[in-house]
Amino acid sequence: MTRFNAWNVIKNGFNGNSGWSRQWRDPEPKASYDAVIVGGGLHGLATAYYLAKNHNMHNVAVLEKGWIGGGNAGRNTTIVRSNYMMPGNREFYEHTLRLWENLSHDLNYNVMFSQRSHVLLINNPGALDSFARRYNTMRLTGSDGELWDLNKLKNKIPHLNYDNGRFPILGAIVQPRAGNARHDSAVWGYARAADSLGVDILQNCEVTGVTRKNGSIESLQTTRGDIKGKKIGFAVAGHTSVLWQMAELGNLPIESHKLQAFVTEAVKPLLDCVLIYAPAGAAHFYISQTNKGSMVFGGELDWYKSYAQRGNLPTVKENGEGAMAIMPCLGKLRLLRHWAGVMDMSMDGSFFMCKTPVENLYLNAGWNYGGFKASPASGWYFADLIANERPHKVIANHNLERFEKGINIDESGSGPDPKMHG
Amino acid sequence: MSSRRIENFGKINRQKQLKFSWENKNYFGYQGDSLASALLANDIRVVGRSFKYHRPRGIMSCGVEESGGLVTIGTGDRKEPNVRVTSQELYEGLIASGQNAFPSVNFDLASINNLLSRFVPAGFYYKTFMGIPPFEWGSGTSVWMFFEKFIRKAAGMGRSSRLPDPDVYEHANDHCDILIVGSGPAGIAAAKEAADRKLDVILVEQDNMIGGDQLSESEFNSDEAFKELKSLGVRVMKRTTAFGLYDNCVLGLVERVEENVTLSDRRLPKQRFWIVRAKHVLIGSGSFERHIAFNNNDVPGSMTVNASKHYLNRYGVLTGKKIVITTNNDSVYSTAEILAKAGANVIVLDNRKETNIDLNKNNFEVINGVVPYNINGSKKINSLDIANSINSKYNKIDTITCDQVLMSGGWSPAVHLLSHRGVRPVWDTENLCFVPGEPKENITVIGSARGIWGKGDCIDSGIAGTLDAINKLGISKTDYFFPKQGGWMNPIEPLYEVKSKKTRSKSFVDFQHDVICDDVRLAHREGFISVEHLKRYTTLGMANDQGKMGNIIGLSLMADLLGKEIPEVGTTTFRPPFTPVSIGALAGRSVGKHFMPLRTTPMHAWNLENGATMIDAGLYDRPWYFPKSNETIDEAYIREAATVRKTVGICDVSSLGKIAIQGPDSTEFINRIYTNAFAKLPINKTRYGIMLRDDGIVLDDGTCWRLSDNEYFMTTSTSQAGKVMSWLEELLQVRWTDLKVNVTSVSEQWGVAAISGPKTRDVLSQCLEDPSTISNENLPFMCFISATLKGGIPCRIARISFSGELGFEIYIQADYANIMMDILWKSAKQFDGCLYGVEALGALRIEKGHVTGAELDGRTTIDDVGLGKMASDKKSYIGSALRKRGVLSASDREKLVGFFPVNKNDTFASGTIICEKNNIKGFGVGRITSVTHSPELGHWIGLGFIKGGVEEWKNINVIGSDPIRNKQIEIQVVSSHMLDPKGERMHG
Amino acid sequence: MIIIKCPYCGDRDHSEFSYGSDASIVYPSLDAPEKDWVEAVFFRENIKGIQRETWQHSNGCRMWLEVERSTITHEIKSVKPCHTQLQKVFEK
């Protein structure tokens, strides 16, 4: 495999770019693997990569029903942050942020992680109180976080709605190491890196049935034939319940909801950070600018359960309102595209990464809003779980039993109402 | 290209000249011009620069698919980037300028990128900029972020304003029987048919004139067509784009209300965003002419064939003198004829070996079996190299001097709206295009959007569309049929790319994003063979036109590389909006202060008149504090809280949720939803109650009053009011349908003032017709009574205390709230009382250790906040089954406590993490949730949680760590009841 | 836009309503054991297809409705009041 670097880019410039080859192979499925990961999104690909890299498991397949990165990996707003507070979540997301920081070098693929700051606006003193707990916890657990007063905020972002907003802007709480990355590039980077370590990435390989025998899964029926796996991992957030029921495992603490994302026409640099506007009890809106120049934004769920990858008008309108509320200069910028992703919304807003009632089956699910940023650590810890057959202590509580055990890792405190975990 | 206005052609009003500016120079056009036609009439060739290579871009179409002519309109706060010149109507005083170029689009320094293009093919940025070049040394993100700054500056197209948008937008809603998208022959025919049948019809046309492709016909009269439709009762919406088709035949439309009007004359909103609910939708959105990929096919002067016909017959602009038309289909011949008639020298290159065209070809030349190979020129076309094709290998055979190259590589129906519904288009191998699939909803596609080319057939399809709608709506049963797709005399032959022999030819697939055929081949070489991967890797179809022009060429190239047919490669899904929609329109009037509704209490005006500074509490505005002269917030609330403890204070607490509960099973209901016993609450008594969620976590707290055997009155917190109301309704309507209970929200019906402090009874007595009503005997603690304020105003008074002082809450009909405040305040002033706001309210409750939302954060249990004794073990209630599950009943949980600074001069803040002295890191052992200065104690105090509760931390001081505010102080853990723990004051 | 035919108010946009939950959940009695409640409160079938679900016409008549809807296409098959007595009223 040709290494990606400026030298080879220039070299290929002289030979009509003929020196580049497939970034990952298109192998025929083998009859069996040591580990089969269902789901060729970022989580599945990252898991395969870390199985090979960290645990020396190379006989691994990733099964993707369509094309890799076609689900939520390509439908998010690419924000990377670690401002989580609850034990377990805190360490997990901090680890993911650290992995992101070196991911381009690790994968030899520019994932364009830009640590341009995650700026959460403060609209009333009460909001500061609850953010303070979160960001103080972050600081005390080895992460970064800082408070910007109004002057500093105005200096950094002069063109926000400071004077005519429904809710005042008092300042911001900021994670400087957070930012955004290029989602597709992370998908392809993990795919290429995993492939080079021997992982088979099987596209157009949909799981259509699960054969169980003696408390474990014997094989998976797929559109490309039966595939056996000594260990099997599900990483199909959005559709976890569908696969789970295919394996006749009953109910999960998950509902599928859709979250819309919006992208505008490209303009010259207009916003240099990830900006969040969430006046308590009123709205939730986030916006950033891609390197191409498009503003990318999103807000709340559509509020009803759905597996449709398309959104509805009221939410479109609300997001326009959110954009104008905070950046009134956006009026003449035009929305270019909007779409929806299907989220695994869990009962406490936190994810699942655990063993299951089936001996050789491992579950990676329930990513709510947070799946994109989580993917490196998700792959890391899921690989660790699969390889060592026990959860790492960081994810020890991220199991299906936590509800009966009364373990509360609910970041928002919204309780068992999945749509509220925005 | 040398384009010019000519006499006797076009539908513009030559009596009305319009002045406009382009790149700071003044020009003239006519009423009826688009900016594109006006620019062409003035022979302006270069109007833009491409995204990556900064190649000169001319006008390439005459519609919404335009990907060359993107400019910036207006200046200052009205600056609007990325406007398609083809869609912008000309108006007097229009200011347009080029974008993505320095110093100008005509001479752009960044066009050096064009020379470096070999090093920057699709996806090159994924392969470098990671570390220090050339071998990407280093780690972390700093090198990337260094490069990123330059990349971001180079990217983007137009520059947007940073000033608030001064324009007004609005929202509107409508309904109709049939909504027809597009006013081409099919749309108009459908509208007439539907109107004849007395249906309520809306016809939506994005252009400022109706007619669609007929606008390129010299004999078509748009005004007459418009008048006829109006007379039939059809609601015609011009300048309106149906940008999205959503569930249940609901469409999003954007109407450009006055974008054709000189700025100073504009009186109406700039745009109107419509949500229209139709019973049936007819899509007659037309089709797009495709270009052909060959080397330098992007040089200004290259255009789609049909566009030049529009420019001639609609705008009276002849777009070239020596025009070469390149085609693979019959649609170009009528254009060739009319262009020649208008005086151009026209040659048609038809790649088909033979064509049988029923036209008078006398005035133009046709060469069969020949394709375009290369355009010579950079900012304008000098000549065209042409080639013949032997076994799909193209050999240059000649060069034709010309100033314009028109291209027609076939037509693509605009299947976008159907794609929004998830209906996949189907490949038509005969007509070489995707035609719409069969929708399951009440949607019918008509006209060329259906792949029907002939005008007569389009008209028939429009009528059939309406009949289809009538059948589906069950209005009547009528037989109908749709004409067959296609309609050309000679079959179209594939012509997507004329492959150049150059190693890196500039054969453009996507003109704006500079995606060339070699990029598609590179994507294939690197394994990006799925259509979606191709799109994402090359950015093909991601530009402003969203692939309207180039997608099919990209697909055909990939199909070729894979040895597959186009439909096997797939289609990309078109997402809404059909054309870009301004964010201002989406927001409408919900901007500025109107972003969200403002909820006010009935004494809002009174509070303001009496000097309140307000604060947001969700959507409510509540009095925060009442500053005297120059007081700061701290000075004010400390004074207010101290006054309450010393004399008396009045506070508006009307935002509390209030719910009337009535019915024979009310007591049973109340008893099931609160944790504490309510079954035996006597009439006229009130009780503090706690509700849990199903999962056993605290939902809300409040009071509940028994008005009679079967009637209760409940209060909730401000923030949970809506949630609790809905929850009670759910329980009664969904879960416990056997209970005969009705709940009614009466939050807005009552105004509430809390009055507290040792002088409360004195103050209130003066306000009542009968002062004895509130004597300790008549109204003991936790009781309520009906009373009459002076002037005969009825009210309810409850003896409740949140502040810990002797306190009453006075509930009054909302309309009387201001009078009540007048009466109370007049009396309170006589006792040196004060008005107080939520800040002082907070201070008073923190001193008492009363919890609010800061403590009840959706994770705490009733035991955590020290109210476990309120959780009955004798009954079952919502949450009782789960409240003790697992670790929720562990002994080492964080329990509610009070915090004092060890050094009494220290202050601290909410959100501080409590750590053990020798271990100031990690998650700590507790946290501070609420703080205040306590006037009574004379220092700052806090409320919060610590592991194990106060007993575990007797004589052990802890550290309050607040790194985000650079603060760390020593703290003493105390009981949460920091003031008057026995509650003697409120019983006084 | 999903359009829900409220039995009392008629056809209305879904933005007038609040989505509740899966209507097939049977909540155990208040004194039922912890494990039954854990199952009811935290676990969902999460149907991909037609599901029975509750909505409240929160910006309308406040009625809680049982809706049969496809979670794939959003198409609604039926709407009726959740409350059995109300169902009878609207059947007439």
Side-chain angles (χ1 to χ4, degrees):
Chain A
M1 189 180 66
T2 315
R3 267 193 81 73
F4 286 172
N5 55 38
W7 177 262
N8 281 327
V9 167
I10 291 166
K11 206 170 90 183
N12 270 281
F14 289 106
N15 65 18
N17 287 298
S18 60
W20 304 116
S21 54
R22 282 195 70 103
Q23 294 195 0
W24 59 89
R25 295 165 297 127
D26 182 19
E28 281 304 312
K30 293 189 235 168
S32 80
Y33 292 92
D34 291 339
V36 173
I37 309 300
V38 183
L42 265 170
H43 293 252
L45 293 166
T47 303
Y49 170 67
Y50 292 116
L51 276 173
K53 189 188 172 217
N54 294 355
H55 304 284
N56 207 26
M57 287 176 71
H58 300 277
N59 186 24
V60 173
V62 176
L63 274 46
E64 167 53 46
K65 74 171 171 182
W67 37 282
I68 58 167
N72 293 332
R75 293 170 187 275
N76 56 78
T77 48
T78 76
I79 298 168
V80 175
R81 59 185 166 90
S82 77
N83 58 346
Y84 285 69
M85 169 178 84
M86 304 303 287
N89 288 347
R90 180 77 271 284
E91 298 92 325
F92 178 90
Y93 286 101
E94 196 54 35
H95 186 58
T96 214
L97 183 52
R98 294 218 177 96
L99 289 171
W100 273 110
E101 284 175 325
N102 212 41
L103 197 58
S104 293
H105 302 278
D106 190 15
L107 301 178
N108 182 230
Y109 210 106
N110 191 352
V111 300
M112 302 181 195
F113 179 34
S114 172
Q115 297 183 282
R116 51 175 74 170
S117 300
H118 176 273
V119 178
L120 180 50
L121 298 178
I122 295 165
N123 302 103
N124 69 58
L128 173 59
D129 293 348
S130 75
F131 295 146
R133 175 188 176 194
R134 178 174 300 272
Y135 282 72
N136 275 333
T137 305
M138 287 157 62
R139 285 282 291 271
L140 289 169
T141 50
S143 189
D144 63 329
E146 62 191 41
L147 205 55
W148 289 359
D149 64 16
L150 190 55
N151 281 334
K152 183 163 182 188
L153 180 63
K154 282 183 170 173
N155 259 326
K156 294 268 189 182
I157 324 173
H159 47 299
L160 299 183
N161 193 6
Y162 294 107
D163 304 324
N164 189 34
R166 167 69 178 80
F167 303 101
I169 298 173
L170 307 179
I173 196 143
V174 179
Q175 185 176 31
R177 282 163 66 232
N180 49 12
R182 176 101 181 94
H183 50 4
D184 291 333
S185 153
V187 172
W188 303 332
Y190 270 119
R192 174 170 166 269
D195 174 90
S196 76
L197 294 173
V199 171
D200 280 0
I201 295 166
L202 305 171
Q203 299 189 90
N204 298 309
C205 185
E206 182 174 2
V207 173
T208 53
V210 177
T211 308
R212 281 173 61 179
K213 198 174 174 186
N214 303 333
S216 63
I217 292 179
E218 191 182 46
S219 71
L220 300 169
Q221 283 112 58
T222 80
T223 47
R224 294 178 73 177
D226 284 10
I227 297 172
K228 287 187 177 168
K230 285 184 192 144
K231 294 175 179 181
I232 291 171
F234 284 175
V236 293
H239 283 75
T240 308
S241 298
V242 177
L243 204 55
W244 194 251
Q245 276 148 20
M246 203 182 279
E248 296 174 343
L249 286 163
N251 293 351
L252 279 174
I254 290 172
E255 274 187 13
S256 296
H257 283 257
K258 64 177 159 148
L259 178 63
Q260 298 201 48
F262 304 83
V263 59
T264 71
E265 296 177 348
V267 286
K268 297 290 177 193
L270 184 62
L271 182 65
D272 302 328
C273 64
V274 176
L275 186 68
I276 316 293
Y277 176 61
H284 180 201
F285 178 78
Y286 40 92
I287 185 164
S288 62
Q289 189 172 22
T290 67
N291 288 325
K292 215 175 85 185
S294 297
M295 306 301 294
V296 175
F297 56 94
E300 314 260 27
L301 296 169
D302 268 23
W303 296 125
Y304 52 87
K305 220 193 91 179
S306 173
Y307 282 95
Q309 289 179 331
R310 54 175 190 265
N312 256 320
L313 263 181
T315 312
V316 180
K317 195 166 64 108
E318 278 158 26
N319 276 277
E321 291 167 1
M324 288 296 279
I326 194 59
M327 290 183 76
C329 62
L330 293 178
K332 292 186 166 57
L333 210 60
R334 283 177 295 259
L335 177 68
L336 191 57
R337 205 162 60 240
H338 74 94
W339 65 91
V342 181
M343 312 282 127
D344 267 11
M345 298 302 293
S346 73
M347 290 292 159
D348 58 2
S350 284
F351 62 89
F352 303 100
M353 193 176 289
C354 54
K355 299 172 86 167
T356 69
V358 174
E359 199 184 330
N360 63 339
L361 177 65
Y362 301 86
L363 180 67
N364 172 330
W367 292 100
N368 297 276
Y369 272 38
F372 173 70
K373 68 173 116 37
S375 43
S378 172
W380 180 284
Y381 288 113
F382 199 39
D384 176 82
L385 171 68
I386 292 170
N388 296 317
E389 300 173 11
R390 56 96 193 95
H392 189 282
K393 67 179 189 322
V394 165
I395 56 161
N397 283 331
H398 287 84
N399 52 36
L400 298 168
E401 295 82 43
R402 65 179 181 252
F403 302 104
E404 65 187 70
K405 288 182 185 161
I407 292 160
N408 197 327
I409 45 176
D410 180 345
E411 293 281 331
S412 70
S414 302
D417 188 353
K419 64 179 177 292
M420 299 311 294
H421 292 285
Chain B
M1 167 170 69
S2 75
S3 50
R4 65 203 156 101
R5 189 91 62 182
I6 58 167
E7 294 298 319
N8 302 323
F9 283 87
K11 306 178 203 302
I12 47 168
N13 177 3
R14 295 186 197 234
Q15 312 306 314
K16 175 89 176 143
Q17 250 193 3
L18 300 173
K19 189 171 84 176
F20 71 101
S21 90
W22 163 249
E23 293 273 71
N24 300 317
K25 271 181 74 180
N26 286 336
Y27 298 92
F28 289 95
Y30 294 110
Q31 192 176 51
D33 259 328
S34 68
L35 178 56
S37 66
L39 289 166
L40 286 168
N42 286 287
D43 197 21
I44 291 161
R45 284 184 291 262
V46 179
V47 295
R49 289 276 166 169
S50 64
F51 189 80
K52 193 157 127 189
Y53 303 144
H54 288 254
R55 307 246 308 179
R57 286 284 172 263
I59 294 162
M60 317 194 79
S61 76
C62 73
V64 297
E65 69 273 36
E66 179 62 28
S67 51
L70 297 169
V71 303
T72 299
I73 303 279
T75 56
D77 55 5
R78 285 204 156 80
K79 185 157 70 177
E80 187 166 0
N82 303 336
V83 176
R84 295 181 304 270
V85 291
T86 49
S87 301
Q88 175 64 51
E89 285 178 60
L90 195 67
Y91 58 81
E92 176 69 26
L94 183 150
I95 299 168
S97 46
Q99 58 183 33
N100 198 33
F102 179 82
S104 76
V105 288
N106 215 20
F107 178 77
D108 179 12
L109 289 174
S111 57
I112 187 151
N113 289 6
N114 188 35
L115 301 176
L116 301 174
S117 67
R118 61 170 61 220
F119 305 113
V120 291
F124 78 98
Y125 34 77
Y126 298 124
K127 295 172 180 151
T128 182
F129 300 128
M130 295 170 255
I132 299 162
F135 297 115
E136 315 299 326
W137 286 302
S139 62
T141 57
S142 56
V143 175
W144 160 243
M145 288 177 69
F146 170 80
F147 284 117
E148 186 188 38
K149 283 197 190 80
F150 299 97
I151 291 170
R152 287 189 66 201
K153 277 185 188 148
M157 290 294 287
R159 196 174 297 282
S160 77
S161 159
R162 294 189 169 216
L163 300 168
D165 185 352
D167 281 320
V168 175
Y169 305 82
E170 67 181 23
H171 289 168
N173 290 277
D174 214 333
H175 296 77
C176 64
D177 293 327
I178 298 187
L179 188 138
I180 303 166
V181 181
S183 69
I188 289 176
K192 285 184 191 166
E193 182 68 27
D196 279 346
R197 291 167 184 268
K198 305 283 177 255
L199 294 175
D200 182 12
V201 185
I202 293 178
L203 177 66
V204 176
E205 172 52 56
Q206 63 191 0
D207 210 326
N208 60 324
M209 294 167 88
I210 68 161
D213 192 46
Q214 298 169 108
L215 293 170
S216 73
E217 295 168 5
S218 52
E219 59 276 14
F220 178 75
N221 187 324
S222 176
D223 288 343
E224 273 176 21
F226 179 70
K227 276 182 205 145
E228 189 189 355
L229 289 173
K230 291 287 269 187
S231 72
L232 289 169
V234 175
R235 295 191 275 159
V236 183
M237 297 176 76
K238 293 192 281 196
R239 298 190 176 92
T240 305
T241 304
F243 69 77
L245 182 48
Y246 299 88
D247 291 333
N248 285 84
C249 290
V250 172
L251 292 105
L253 317 177
V254 167
E255 180 184 5
R256 289 168 295 281
V257 183
E258 278 198 341
E259 286 186 8
N260 56 324
V261 177
T262 302
L263 219 50
S264 57
D265 293 340
R266 288 186 191 173
R267 299 288 179 270
L268 296 172
K270 181 176 161 69
Q271 297 179 353
R272 202 173 276 138
F273 166 38
W274 290 86
I275 297 178
V276 180
R277 299 143 191 88
K279 289 182 186 144
H280 196 103
V281 179
L282 297 181
I283 302 174
S285 49
S287 50
F288 296 111
E289 194 170 26
R290 298 194 292 260
H291 68 280
I292 299 160
F294 61 95
N295 196 37
N296 286 339
N297 61 341
D298 66 326
V299 176
S302 69
M303 191 184 271
T304 52
V305 180
N306 194 49
S308 76
K309 188 179 174 191
H310 273 263
Y311 285 115
L312 182 61
N313 274 335
R314 179 167 174 189
Y315 301 109
V317 175
L318 185 57
T319 51
K321 274 182 183 157
K322 290 187 170 176
I323 300 173
V324 179
I325 293 177
T326 67
T327 188
N328 62 347
N329 67 78
D330 288 1
S331 70
V332 305
Y333 285 94
S334 63
T335 306
E337 193 178 22
I338 190 97
L339 291 174
K341 198 174 142 197
N345 184 337
V346 181
I347 302 174
V348 177
L349 309 181
D350 195 321
N351 80 318
R352 296 170 294 184
K353 293 280 178 290
E354 260 178 64
T355 44
N356 176 20
I357 302 292
D358 187 19
L359 273 171
N360 177 6
K361 290 193 229 165
N362 291 337
N363 58 354
F364 62 94
E365 188 187 344
V366 179
I367 309 175
N368 280 94
V370 170
V371 293
Y373 187 70
N374 169 52
I375 289 177
N376 299 302
S378 61
K379 288 182 194 169
K380 64 182 177 70
I381 296 174
N382 299 325
S383 61
L384 173 71
D385 297 339
I386 62 171
N388 62 13
S389 160
I390 298 159
N391 303 330
S392 287
K393 291 260 192 293
Y394 297 102
N395 300 299
K396 181 183 157 188
I397 51 168
D398 200 359
T399 299
I400 302 175
T401 306
C402 59
D403 62 358
Q404 177 154 62
V405 176
L406 300 178
M407 303 173 281
S408 180
W411 290 76
S412 298
V415 295
H416 299 67
L417 289 176
L418 211 50
S419 189
H420 299 175
R421 302 303 313 137
V423 180
R424 295 231 147 215
V426 181
W427 184 250
D428 180 334
T429 44
E430 195 176 315
N431 293 297
L432 302 184
C433 62
F434 279 106
V435 294
E438 201 52 50
K440 290 195 180 70
E441 298 164 284
N442 281 348
I443 303 167
T444 312
V445 186
I446 56 175
S448 69
R450 202 182 169 92
I452 295 167
W453 305 143
K455 184 172 171 179
D457 284 350
C458 283
I459 290 170
D460 290 346
S461 79
I463 295 166
T466 291
L467 297 177
D468 185 44
I470 285 168
N471 279 351
K472 283 195 178 135
L473 292 173
I475 295 169
S476 70
K477 276 258 176 262
T478 319
D479 286 337
Y480 61 93
F481 73 96
F482 283 99
K484 197 168 146 293
Q485 272 131 358
W488 290 319
M489 289 180 68
N490 307 279
I492 183 173
E493 284 180 14
L495 178 61
Y496 302 104
E497 184 202 8
V498 178
K499 201 170 167 188
S500 173
K501 291 203 167 57
K502 286 178 73 173
T503 47
R504 189 168 168 81
S505 70
K506 294 275 172 44
S507 304
F508 285 85
V509 183
D510 185 320
F511 294 110
Q512 186 191 334
H513 270 176
D514 288 331
V515 180
I516 58 175
C517 294
D518 281 352
D519 288 328
V520 178
R521 282 187 269 274
L522 176 62
H524 170 258
R525 198 173 307 140
E526 296 193 86
F528 296 94
I529 54 174
S530 138
V531 174
E532 292 292 337
H533 282 159
L534 170 68
K535 174 175 116 181
R536 285 149 191 269
Y537 192 63
T538 62
T539 75
L540 166 62
M542 308 275 267
N544 293 31
D545 77 317
Q546 292 283 290
K548 291 187 182 79
M549 283 184 92
N551 263 10
I552 302 291
I553 298 177
L555 279 176
S556 79
L557 290 170
M558 187 54 79
D560 202 35
L561 290 161
L562 295 171
K564 290 180 174 178
E565 295 300 315
I566 286 178
E568 294 177 83
V569 178
T571 60
T572 54
T573 310
F574 292 110
R575 302 279 177 196
F578 172 60
T579 51
V581 173
S582 70
I583 291 174
L586 295 178
R589 295 198 185 241
S590 304
V591 291
K593 301 281 185 208
H594 301 287
F595 167 53
M596 285 279 156
L598 175 69
R599 294 188 75 182
T600 55
T601 71
M603 43 268 236
H604 184 70
W606 194 95
N607 289 325
L608 290 176
E609 276 165 29
N610 286 276
T613 298
M614 307 300 277
I615 188 171
D616 295 296
L619 295 179
Y620 263 112
D621 239 7
R622 295 188 68 181
W624 192 3
Y625 56 98
F626 290 82
K628 279 188 172 170
S629 56
N630 296 324
E631 270 182 341
T632 64
I633 173 173
D634 282 353
E635 288 163 354
Y637 91 79
I638 290 168
R639 171 184 53 76
E640 289 167 15
T643 307
V644 171
R645 296 263 183 250
K646 200 169 135 209
T647 59
V648 64
I650 304 168
C651 181
D652 172 7
V653 294
S654 308
S655 62
L656 292 176
K658 301 169 222 64
I659 301 168
I661 300 166
Q662 292 148 319
D665 294 320
S666 296
T667 305
E668 171 65 17
F669 179 58
I670 299 273
N671 209 36
R672 287 188 197 176
I673 56 177
Y674 281 119
T675 61
N676 41 336
F678 265 87
K680 287 175 185 152
L681 180 68
I683 292 169
N684 288 334
K685 285 282 277 183
T686 131
R687 190 165 286 173
Y688 175 67
I690 291 188
M691 285 182 214
L692 306 185
R693 306 188 303 222
D694 274 332
D695 65 349
I697 300 294
V698 178
L699 167 65
D700 195 35
D701 63 340
T703 60
C704 194
W705 318 4
R706 187 162 198 174
L707 304 181
S708 71
D709 271 350
N710 298 329
E711 191 174 7
Y712 290 81
F713 179 81
M714 174 190 287
T715 66
T716 75
S717 68
T718 301
S719 64
Q720 300 291 72
K723 197 169 175 179
V724 170
M725 182 65 202
S726 207
W727 169 233
L728 299 186
E729 288 167 325
E730 182 178 2
L731 289 174
L732 288 169
Q733 292 185 41
V734 184
R735 275 198 218 174
W736 299 333
T737 53
D738 56 322
L739 291 187
K740 292 191 173 66
V741 180
N742 188 65
V743 289
T744 312
S745 168
V746 291
S747 296
E748 308 272 336
Q749 278 67 28
W750 294 96
V752 192
I755 173 163
S756 21
K759 300 283 182 198
T760 296
R761 194 173 279 123
D762 301 327
V763 170
L764 195 50
S765 298
Q766 292 195 39
C767 305
L768 295 172
E769 299 251 340
D770 176 7
S772 72
T773 325
I774 56 160
S775 67
N776 203 26
E777 296 70 42
N778 281 337
L779 188 56
F781 187 57
M782 297 309 275
C783 285
F784 69 93
I785 199 161
S786 289
T788 312
L789 285 180
K790 278 199 171 137
I793 306 165
C795 65
R796 276 183 198 156
I797 300 177
R799 192 165 157 202
I800 297 169
S801 177
F802 193 51
S803 61
E805 296 300 320
L806 172 65
F808 298 93
E809 286 178 2
I810 305 158
Y811 288 69
I812 197 153
Q813 276 185 55
D815 290 349
Y816 292 107
N818 289 332
I819 298 172
M820 170 179 73
M821 290 302 274
D822 279 336
I823 296 171
L824 293 176
W825 181 220
K826 192 177 157 199
S827 174
K829 275 194 279 198
Q830 295 166 23
F831 294 89
D832 297 322
C834 72
L835 299 168
Y836 67 103
V838 292
E839 196 67 20
L841 191 71
L844 295 163
R845 70 96 187 167
I846 294 167
E847 287 182 324
K848 285 293 295 176
H850 290 162
V851 292
T852 63
E855 289 74 36
L856 304 174
D857 65 357
R859 286 176 287 254
T860 43
T861 67
I862 192 166
D863 290 297
D864 295 344
V865 293
L867 297 171
K869 59 184 185 302
M870 287 185 63
S872 169
D873 286 326
K874 298 195 181 94
K875 64 166 188 174
S876 298
Y877 47 89
I878 290 283
S880 62
L882 295 186
R883 73 179 189 90
K884 287 182 173 171
R885 69 198 143 96
V887 296
L888 293 185
S889 52
S891 61
D892 64 344
R893 288 180 66 82
E894 292 183 350
K895 297 271 168 60
L896 187 76
V897 293
F899 294 114
F900 288 172
V902 170
N903 175 347
K904 294 292 183 280
N905 295 322
D906 278 344
T907 67
F908 45 31
S910 306
T912 295
I913 304 297
I914 302 295
C915 297
E916 290 168 291
K917 264 184 164 174
N918 52 1
N919 189 21
I920 307 169
K921 62 173 195 285
F923 295 93
V925 292
R927 59 204 161 89
I928 302 178
T929 50
S930 307
V931 297
T932 184
H933 179 272
S934 165
E936 196 70 13
L937 297 169
H939 59 83
W940 281 69
I941 59 171
L943 205 55
F945 295 86
I946 195 163
K947 273 206 168 80
V950 67
E951 290 76 22
E952 296 288 313
W953 300 90
K954 274 189 182 140
N955 308 318
I956 308 171
N957 287 349
V958 291
I959 297 296
S961 176
D962 189 8
I964 61 160
R965 286 167 291 214
N966 299 316
K967 199 142 200 178
Q968 186 168 306
I969 66 163
E970 196 175 353
I971 286 176
Q972 180 192 355
V973 183
V974 298
S975 156
S976 60
H977 306 290
M978 289 170 273
L979 188 87
D980 183 27
K982 288 186 183 146
E984 284 158 354
R985 288 167 180 247
M986 58 192 179
H987 289 99
Chain C
M1 192 82 79
I2 302 173
I3 293 178
I4 300 174
K5 192 179 185 70
C6 170
Y8 187 73
C9 309
D11 283 339
R12 297 302 172 94
D13 293 351
H14 79 265
S15 48
E16 285 187 12
F17 299 77
S18 317
Y19 176 78
S21 188
D22 185 338
S24 68
I25 301 168
V26 180
Y27 286 91
S29 66
L30 290 175
D31 56 0
E34 191 177 292
K35 125 178 125 34
D36 296 2
W37 272 95
V38 166
E39 183 63 29
V41 171
F42 295 108
F43 289 81
R44 296 282 184 277
E45 196 178 345
N46 195 19
I47 293 168
K48 185 176 183 179
I50 307 279
Q51 79 160 6
R52 288 196 297 130
E53 60 193 23
T54 57
W55 290 75
Q56 186 184 19
H57 196 187
S58 43
N59 290 321
C61 62
R62 305 284 297 177
M63 196 191 292
W64 277 88
L65 307 171
E66 185 180 317
V67 177
E68 271 185 304
R69 182 183 64 101
S70 163
T71 58
I72 305 168
T73 65
H74 303 157
E75 189 190 352
I76 289 179
K77 299 284 179 195
S78 73
V79 183
K80 64 181 182 189
C82 287
H83 198 287
T84 40
Q85 292 300 316
L86 278 173
Q87 280 171 24
K88 284 177 195 154
V89 171
F90 285 97
E91 269 165 20
K92 283 171 192 164

